[in-house]
Amino acid sequence: MNKVDQINRLLLQATHHRDQLTMIAKEFVDLHNEAHGSCEADELFACILDGQPYQQTLDRVNRIRAHRQGHGR
């Protein structure tokens, strides 16, 4: 297999992997009862897609909620 074929194979694998992670992240957001597209959902997506620590993610989600409710000052 030549270098171009190897690059294309790796790109295809990465796309497939990213698609799988996105599906997992969507389910993760649903399990937390968050609206897709919300700031909270974005943080939960980052936990899956970027490997952010779960507890830190929950802390950020809770700060977002508190701020939204006017208690984050």
Side-chain angles (χ1 to χ4, degrees):
M1 181 180 295
N2 66 38
K3 190 173 185 175
V4 172
D5 289 340
Q6 288 176 321
I7 290 169
N8 287 330
R9 180 183 54 80
L10 291 173
L11 289 171
L12 185 61
Q13 285 177 342
T15 299
H16 178 70
H17 181 67
R18 182 72 173 191
D19 290 346
Q20 288 180 321
L21 283 176
T22 299
M23 289 173 40
I24 292 168
K26 286 179 181 179
E27 184 176 351
F28 197 62
V29 169
D30 291 341
L31 286 172
H32 287 83
N33 296 315
E34 294 298 341
H36 290 268
S38 68
C39 293
E40 293 90 334
D42 290 347
E43 292 295 336
L44 293 166
F45 258 75
C47 185
I48 298 297
L49 297 178
D50 302 332
Q52 297 293 325
Y54 183 58
Q55 187 58 52
Q56 288 178 7
T57 298
L58 290 181
D59 292 344
R60 284 193 303 275
V61 166
N62 288 329
R63 281 194 301 274
I64 292 167
R65 288 177 182 155
H67 181 73
R68 184 172 286 130
Q69 295 172 357
H71 304 290
R73 297 164 202 220

